Amino acid sequence: MFRNWLLFAVSALPAAALAQSSTEQARAIGGEPATGGQRLVLTDLPRAAGKTITLFDGRSLDDWRPWLGYGDPAVTYRGEPGSTPIGTGRDTSGDFAVRQVDGRPAIWIKGETWGSLVHRADLSNYHLRLQYKWGAKTWAPRDRQSPNNGLLYHSHGTPGEVFGTWQPSMEFEIMKGSTGMAVVVGSKVRGRTTVTSDPSLIAPHLRFRVGGRPVDMVNGSPTWNVEAATDAERPIGQWNTLDLYVLGDRAVHVVNGVPVAAVTDIATIAPDGTRQPLTHGPIQLQSEGAETWFRSITVEPIRSLPKIVVASSSPD
């Protein structure tokens, strides 16, 4: 989600100095790169503690509230004086709609104008499952090689509070090569996870690792996002299944049955620095430069989280 912001923020630095400083910084945070990858599996899957609820009825978007950012997405991270987000100031039927694809109804998100669909339900202690696939179009500044979207959860605050476009939240990234990555959305949100440094990644060069070094995820810092443990997404054009398990201020991200990230201590930060656990909130489906389809969006209550277990390690 915020890679464009990162590139804008550091564009004034010489490339060689930037590469050196960011990789050294990653090593200081996450330690030396891990000597092998981890094959992770999910165990102790929780049983549903109640009935399954469908968040998308297949007929309408009546339970979803649209919000649009700026007419030109290129200004999103720049905060230009006088720029005003669209918000709800125009008909959004050309941005979000219910359409048929592959013989079934799905939520269609055009992606040209950045923003989100926010569901009305205030969710807590749940297992959410959805399917998504990429559409045929991407829009500048994105391209076909890096379509971008996201599932934002524990949303709070006001629409457009973050860059005029999203609500503060935690993000389950949906992006080619990075689906499942954990991202803090907004300066008031925090989360904790465990990492290793990985120089093969773009900055901040940090990847989720079971047993890795603990880090506090802070927007605007070198730990504002943590890459997924592995790329478990299917090729463009195929449907993917995402499972998000949330219990209080903890979450587990799963892509096509593969656990790829875990976040703990999700919280909001008050102006005086007080940390308040963030345990509930609506979800947002992003619009961020790529045509995307979503379907089969369900949620069921849970009383425990699944466990992520290292099945084996392998050389890089």
Side-chain angles (χ1 to χ4, degrees), residues 34-56:
T35 57
Q38 295 178 327
R39 186 171 72 85
L40 305 179
V41 296
L42 211 58
T43 67
D44 298 340
L45 294 176
R47 293 185 178 181
K51 68 177 182 178
T52 299
I53 299 171
T54 300
L55 299 187
F56 169 52

Side-chain angles (χ1 to χ4, degrees), residues 177-211:
S178 296
T179 296
M181 177 170 67
V183 185
V184 287
V185 180
S187 61
K188 299 176 182 177
V189 182
R190 299 287 191 275
R192 293 189 173 110
T193 190
T194 53
V195 305
T196 183
S197 65
D198 185 343
S200 71
L201 302 171
I202 67 169
H205 311 292
L206 297 174
R207 185 182 295 279
F208 173 74
R209 187 173 179 86
V210 173

